[in-house]
Structures are given as C-alpha cells and as structure tokens.
Amino acid sequence: MAKLLISLPLLSLCSVLSFSGVFSATFTMVNQCSYTVWPGILSGAGTAQISPTGFSLDPGQSVPVSVPAAWSGRLWGRTQCSQDSVTGKFACVTGDCGSGTVECSGGGAAPPATLAEFTLNGAGGLDFYDVSLVDGYNLPMLVAPQGGTGAGNCTTTGCMSDLNGGCPAELKMMSGGAAVAGGECVACRSACEAFGDPKYCCSGEYATPDTCKPSSYSQYFKAACPRAYSYAYDDGTSTFTCAAADYVITFCPFPSTSQKSSGGPNSDAADAGVSLAANAADTPLPPFFAVFVTVLAAVFQLRQLHLH
C-alpha cells in the first residue's frame, strides 16, 4: 500500500492522539467517503483508554492513532453529525455514542453501526480482529493489517458493500430515525434490534452456538460481506489473527453506487477492495491444536464485545 499522506495542519492533531505509555500498534484511520465521518473509539473493560475517543475525519483525510499494548476495544464511524446552535449538544444520525460531544468518553455506538473490533497481544501473543455487522450497518469499512505476520489468516477483512440500498424494508433506518416509507435509508438494522426476538439476538434459550443459527436477515449481511460477522456465533469465517501489525481502517474503501456510501477513487483502497473480493472465500483456521485453543480464547473475548 502506498504511503498515506497527512497534511501539515494535522501534525498538532497527531501529537494529541498520542499519549505516554507503551504502544503496541498504530491504527491509521482513513476517510474515503464523500462526506465527513466522526470515528468513535471504545476501550474494553479493564483496558487502557485511548485519547481522544472521538474526532472529525474529513473526506480524504487520514489520522494515525497510537494504541497501547494489550488493548481491546472497538471503533466505528459516525455519520451526519452536527452541533445544536442553541444547546451546543453534538449528535449523529448514525453511530451516535450519546455523549453530547465529539468525544465519546466511554460511550458505545448506538446501533445500527459497522464495527471494527480488536484484541491486541491476546492469547499466544496474537492480535485478533474482525469487522462486525452484529449491531447492524451504517457505512462500508475495511481493516487492513500492515507489516504483520500470521498463520494463514493475517489478511484484510471488512464490508465494502452498500447494504443500505438493498436493506430489507423491515430493517431500514430512514432519515429522521424512523423505519418508515419515504426519505433516505441511512443505516440497516440488525434483526435483533428490529424485532428484539431472542432467536435473532442469540440470547435466552438461543445463547449457544447450537441453538442460535443464521437467519435470513443475517444471511443478507453475510452474502454481501463474506468476511464480516453477521451474527454473534459467526466465528469461523470472521475472526482474523496477526502478530506485530499496524492496521489501516478505511471508511468507504471502495467506490459504491450509493451516494452516502461512496468516496473518491483511491488506488490503494481499490486494490485492497479487489483483493478482498477475489479472496472472499472462507479462510480456514490453522489445523494445529495449540493455535486452535488460542483462537477460541480470543473469540470469546471478541464475543463479549458482540453481546454487550
């Protein structure tokens, strides 16, 4: 991937994004959408916090964030954000974290939102990462490891497709927040959020892999984005591992037919998108028992993010 260029005015922001401590990796967030995205970051329980927890990312902009060792958490993109001229409250139409400010300050993404989830330096010293649609979808996202090593599945993952255009009518979140006819579909809800049924939420009597199975709704997500989590127990084709990697997280990584989900063409993102599409077949986990155990341990950690 070619070098990501950062303009001089961003140098002060980059210095703010770093803080004292031992850093494990750099997350470079890239916005290739035709509109501003406000990334949000939520650290897992008992995990070192990152500062800031939210900021503005203009079209074409990229910002590196230093992440501490053994960090676990999730990040996402908020869209259609604004600040009330009277109250000063900051809010977003999708992915809002409820803080009332640009910083999320410990608040998570209100579904529906596309999520990137990480456990760095986890079991076996490996990074475990995925892109999840378990909480629904609001914009395309790609996670690409840089300079890492892995046992067969240190690779790009994500969801490049525009799921809002073809979202089932009963899952659509329309502009204004209501799933009603008319207006514009700004996000696609999960069946769990839309119906609250335990069989879609993998809760209650459906809280095990044997009882919680893919639904027609989760299969809609899976067909469009084969490497992304489509429901809580979609582990085998959706969790990836690397060692000693940095990560590029790109919003709107590949041109789309949707105005709200498309960004300017970029050769790096296009190459990554083509590579992902060409290799969208399931990636088997390594057949070694020891590695299998480490994968199960980290999958458990990631699932806690899915279920909370």
Side-chain angles (χ1 to χ4, degrees):
M1 183 174 286
K3 275 187 179 177
L4 296 168
L5 300 179
I6 303 175
S7 60
L8 290 177
L10 287 177
L11 291 178
S12 58
L13 174 59
C14 292
S15 64
V16 172
L17 292 173
S18 298
F19 62 99
S20 60
V22 177
F23 297 120
S24 171
T26 297
F27 290 170
T28 301
M29 300 191 198
V30 182
N31 182 12
Q32 291 192 177
C33 303
S34 58
Y35 49 90
T36 300
V37 172
W38 286 261
I41 304 173
L42 175 65
S43 298
T47 302
Q49 298 298 310
I50 293 177
S51 179
T53 55
F55 55 94
S56 173
L57 196 62
D58 293 330
Q61 189 178 14
S62 62
V63 171
V65 177
S66 295
V67 183
W71 185 80
S72 179
R74 55 175 47 169
L75 58 91
W76 66 97
R78 295 169 288 171
T79 67
Q80 301 186 41
C81 303
S82 61
Q83 187 168 23
D84 190 283
S85 59
V86 177
T87 65
K89 182 179 179 180
F90 180 85
C92 303
V93 173
T94 77
D96 189 68
C97 55
S99 66
T101 67
V102 174
E103 293 259 3
C104 283
S105 304
T114 311
L115 304 173
E117 301 175 318
F118 292 86
T119 295
L120 302 184
N121 292 316
L126 295 173
D127 299 343
F128 293 79
Y129 61 99
D130 67 70
V131 169
S132 174
L133 307 179
V134 174
D135 288 345
Y137 165 100
N138 66 332
L139 79 171
M141 182 190 295
L142 205 66
V143 174
Q146 303 291 298
T149 60
N153 60 345
C154 178
T155 189
T156 301
T157 186
C159 182
M160 300 183 300
S161 301
D162 169 28
L163 301 188
N164 293 334
C167 181
E170 57 271 35
L171 302 185
K172 287 184 176 181
M173 188 178 98
M174 309 304 290
S175 52
V180 297
E184 177 188 33
C185 179
V186 294
C188 191
R189 298 186 295 169
S190 68
C192 175
E193 183 198 358
F195 309 121
D197 191 321
K199 71 179 180 181
Y200 296 129
C201 299
C202 292
S203 60
E205 62 180 308
Y206 297 95
T208 69
D210 291 333
T211 56
C212 191
K213 300 298 182 182
S215 67
S216 60
Y217 298 109
S218 69
Q219 288 172 340
Y220 167 72
F221 292 131
K222 196 65 176 178
C225 304
R227 290 191 174 187
Y229 262 88
S230 59
Y231 75 109
Y233 292 106
D234 187 13
D235 300 320
T237 61
S238 307
T239 300
F240 298 85
T241 59
C242 268
D246 293 320
Y247 297 90
V248 176
I249 297 98
T250 304
F251 301 106
C252 303
F254 204 53
S256 166
T257 55
S258 167
Q259 182 178 358
K260 284 296 180 183
S261 298
S262 63
N266 177 282
S267 59
D268 293 334
D271 290 342
V274 171
S275 174
L276 178 60
N279 295 284
D282 296 352
T283 303
L285 295 177
F288 309 102
F289 179 74
V291 177
F292 178 70
V293 171
T294 65
V295 169
L296 286 181
V299 164
F300 175 79
Q301 289 177 298
L302 288 173
R303 185 175 296 121
Q304 304 318 301
L305 296 175
H306 296 157
L307 299 178
H308 293 89

